[in-house]
Amino acid sequence: VLKMPLFYGFQQTMLELFGEERKRELALQPTERAFHASDRPSPPLGSNAVAVAPARSADGATRLLVNSHQPYAGPVAWYEVRLRSDEGWDVAGGVFPGSPVMLHGTNRDLGWASTVNQPDLSDIYVLETAPGEPDRYRYDGGWRDFEKGEATFAVRLLGRLRWPARRELLRSEHGPALRRPHGTYAVRVVGEGELRALEQYYRMNKAKNLEEWRSALELQALPSINFVYADREGNIGYVYNARSPRRKPGWNSQQYLPGDRSDLVWTETHAFDETPQLWNPASHFVASANHDPFHATTDPHNLSRGDYAESRGIETRMTNRALRALELYGGDPSITAEEFRAYKYDKLYSERSEARRITAEVLAASPEALGHDPELLRAQQILSGWDFRADVDSRSAPLGIVTATPVIVAMMREAEPVAPLDAFRDAVAALQRHHGRLDPTWGEVNRFRRGKLDLPADGGPDVLRALEAFVLDGRGTYDVRSGDCFVMFVEWDDAGEIQVETVHQYGSATLDASSPHYAD
């Protein structure tokens, strides 16, 4: 219940209300364009999922890639599991610590992979309180009383010493409400009070065919998360799973909404059958990498954005991982088992990627723009030799990736923009200061560290071989702690026999640093 809304970014909705001032404008009336979908780049972090049908496999097999990117340790780190019972439960896959059901992976008949999506599933309302009566708010021309309560938290101070912290609880017709110095707000969020997520996952675990699996999804207990599906019968599919609100047409839900109108308080969500989903396309493959769901395969076999209400807030962005998945899996009409695996570990930035655009801007800078600085001009020359691969031995990848990453991360977080030339200057200074040269190898900058191990790592942000570290540490290195962690290759041969191979970041001793297996 706690974690599910965090996957589509609800925490950002809440955190902005705790800022020092109001962050968004108030929508005062309907507009011609109700929702302005974001086309900014996706965060460099994310997940990959691919399914290939028999007609696109060189050997007639059906293949599924499960490749979610999570932290290597902590409450949402993947933990590999095999669950088996005498009553037919037989699954292998990934769980988060404490989950009693497999969250993604496969049983003998079917499997699925998950990636995060970010539909618009929450709205913020600005409430007008009555003059001199802050416990009442205007609603449909009259005044309503807040439902009030109090929450008590036992805060540990020292040892067994605890202090009870008390906080006011408010609720309006819209949902939970809170008072801030810059206004009183209410939040309406999909999935509030939803308790059936584990039931839905359990039904997905036990499903024996596509019909049973789709029936489990019809519960819509999971407010978001994409699914890529494959089974032993050769079916493949992509589901942009989102329990989207049925909003009043014409209002921009990316702004704050007036809280005095009941017609803006949605009470229904779109049914599962109205969810974007693509089954057994004629292209014979689907891919998901936290990107526009209307590019889940190659054209002309995609869904059409025009068939779905703009108010649902479906993202439009394309990640580099998505571009490369479409180029690789979509460009090969006869994929072998070896190619299926090799494509997953691709380390190239696409010609259409943000990394290439940022690099091109830096390379186009004139000597005057670089202040005729000989170090910057030499760095520019080194960068010009980058083949746009995050290879461990590359001596130009550090300049390229360390320059591009802060620019993209700032765009993703909607923070103050970072100019590519400023990021380039910072990258040059950091590499020279920490490594004593402008061209250390990428493996010297990108590191796997665990216990006594300190190893060079290839791959990087937003490539299919995904390693996610976005800020140089005090040693001038990326200390990789998330990204590729649980990778599963599932294959049903042309006779329907299953083979499963997995790679996991390390063993089960994730917290016990004294274990001899801590850094396996």
Side-chain angles (χ1 to χ4, degrees):
V1 174
L2 172 66
K3 294 294 183 186
M4 289 308 302
L6 306 186
F7 281 96
Y8 64 80
F10 177 60
Q11 65 273 31
Q12 300 304 320
T13 300
M14 292 304 299
L15 285 171
E16 71 177 56
L17 292 179
F18 286 87
E20 295 182 357
E21 58 186 22
R22 186 174 295 179
K23 299 292 179 137
R24 291 189 249 172
E25 296 179 0
L26 177 65
L28 299 177
Q29 61 186 9
T31 59
E32 181 179 348
R33 181 172 174 80
F35 178 81
H36 300 276
S38 172
D39 59 359
R40 68 184 186 276
S42 173
L45 51 87
S47 303
N48 305 322
V50 178
V52 173
R56 204 175 187 97
S57 294
D59 53 3
T62 304
R63 293 188 171 87
L64 173 69
L65 168 66
V66 181
N67 183 207
S68 173
H69 306 153
Q70 293 293 119
Y72 292 170
V76 288
W78 287 117
Y79 186 97
E80 187 174 7
V81 71
R82 172 77 184 279
L83 294 171
R84 226 179 145 184
S85 78
D86 292 334
E87 298 179 0
W89 195 359
D90 190 0
V91 296
V95 301
F96 296 149
S99 170
V101 295
M102 185 264 286
L103 300 182
H104 69 176
T106 190
N107 60 34
R108 291 190 176 275
D109 300 303
L110 58 87
W112 67 92
S114 306
T115 71
V116 171
N117 58 3
Q118 291 185 303
D120 182 15
L121 301 186
S122 61
D123 290 331
I124 296 176
Y125 300 84
V126 178
L127 305 183
E128 177 188 351
T129 56
E133 298 182 89
D135 291 341
R136 309 187 76 198
Y137 62 96
R138 186 182 294 279
Y139 196 71
D140 281 348
W143 298 98
R144 301 281 180 95
D145 294 327
F146 285 112
E147 296 179 43
K148 297 187 66 179
E150 185 179 73
T152 302
F153 303 88
V155 180
R156 181 182 297 169
L157 297 180
L158 182 65
R160 295 185 178 182
L161 181 62
R162 295 172 182 268
W163 175 72
R166 294 179 172 85
R167 293 292 184 269
E168 177 185 58
L169 297 179
L170 294 179
R171 189 175 184 86
S172 67
E173 293 288 339
H174 318 73
L178 66 160
R179 310 184 205 270
R180 299 295 300 144
H182 43 75
T184 301
Y185 304 91
V187 179
R188 194 162 189 82
V189 56
V190 169
E192 183 192 349
E194 177 59 74
L195 303 173
R196 301 171 300 160
L198 289 177
E199 177 185 349
Q200 178 171 327
Y201 272 123
Y202 174 70
R203 292 187 181 188
M204 293 163 69
N205 277 214
K206 294 295 290 287
K208 296 297 184 184
N209 53 50
L210 175 56
E211 182 180 359
E212 291 180 6
W213 191 82
R214 281 174 52 96
S215 177
L217 262 64
E218 289 174 359
L219 280 180
Q220 291 193 296
L222 306 176
S224 67
I225 294 182
N226 301 310
F227 294 111
V228 167
Y229 170 97
D231 65 29
R232 69 188 308 161
E233 302 299 324
N235 296 303
I236 64 169
Y238 164 78
V239 180
Y240 181 86
N241 181 62
R243 190 172 160 187
S244 302
R246 291 189 182 275
R247 296 183 170 97
K248 185 179 179 65
W251 288 81
N252 186 355
S253 60
Q254 293 299 284
Q255 295 178 313
Y256 293 161
L257 298 172
D260 60 346
R261 299 180 48 162
S262 62
D263 62 333
L264 298 183
V265 181
W266 45 268
T267 58
E268 297 180 344
T269 56
H270 288 275
F272 174 70
D273 286 344
E274 299 172 290
T275 297
Q277 44 192 297
L278 183 63
W279 294 101
N280 295 322
S283 56
H284 305 297
F285 88 100
V286 290
S288 178
N290 315 104
H291 71 288
D292 183 337
F294 305 108
H295 290 88
T297 192
T298 49
D299 289 331
H301 310 294
N302 279 300
L303 301 170
S304 171
R305 180 175 290 274
D307 293 336
Y308 300 88
E310 193 177 37
S311 62
R312 297 179 69 159
I314 299 173
E315 53 264 55
T316 65
R317 63 199 176 200
M318 292 296 291
T319 61
N320 177 70
R321 291 172 290 107
L323 294 170
R324 289 300 292 154
L326 294 172
E327 290 164 3
L328 291 167
Y329 294 97
D332 186 345
S334 182
I335 301 172
T336 66
E338 293 74 20
E339 288 167 336
F340 186 84
R341 288 161 176 74
Y343 294 159
K344 181 268 157 295
Y345 290 102
D346 179 75
K347 294 167 285 188
L348 182 68
Y349 289 96
S350 168
E351 292 183 0
R352 298 163 56 197
S353 67
E354 283 294 308
R356 294 235 190 184
R357 181 191 65 79
I358 293 164
T359 301
E361 184 171 333
V362 172
L363 294 179
S366 65
E368 290 77 17
L370 297 177
H372 294 283
D373 185 314
E375 191 168 64
L376 293 178
L377 292 171
R378 172 167 151 67
Q380 190 184 47
Q381 184 64 34
I382 294 170
L383 181 60
S384 69
W386 188 27
D387 62 1
F388 296 97
R389 295 184 183 276
D391 284 326
V392 68
D393 295 324
S394 173
R395 289 195 176 274
S396 47
L399 276 170
I401 296 174
V402 176
T403 296
T405 298
V407 180
I408 296 172
V409 169
M411 295 169 69
M412 172 267 290
R413 293 176 178 168
E414 296 185 322
E416 188 71 25
V418 176
L421 281 184
D422 289 340
F424 177 63
R425 292 186 184 95
D426 290 344
V428 168
L431 294 175
Q432 186 67 56
R433 180 169 65 254
H434 292 289
H435 299 276
R437 58 188 300 167
L438 299 174
D439 61 346
T441 65
W442 179 231
E444 292 176 271
V445 175
N446 206 42
R447 308 296 294 181
F448 279 130
R449 294 188 175 108
R450 176 76 171 173
K452 296 180 180 179
L453 297 180
D454 188 344
L455 303 172
D458 62 2
D462 203 24
V463 294
L464 288 172
R465 196 317 186 232
L467 302 180
E468 295 160 0
F470 310 122
V471 179
L472 292 175
D473 61 19
R475 291 170 282 193
T477 61
Y478 284 135
D479 189 357
V480 178
R481 297 180 182 270
S482 65
D484 276 352
C485 48
F486 177 71
V487 182
M488 173 179 270
F489 298 103
V490 184
E491 176 185 300
W492 288 273
D493 65 20
D494 55 5
E497 293 298 316
I498 190 171
Q499 176 175 303
V500 180
E501 298 175 4
T502 63
V503 182
H504 198 232
Q505 68 268 33
Y506 36 71
S508 60
T510 59
L511 298 178
D512 183 6
S514 66
S515 168
H517 302 290
Y518 181 69
D520 281 359

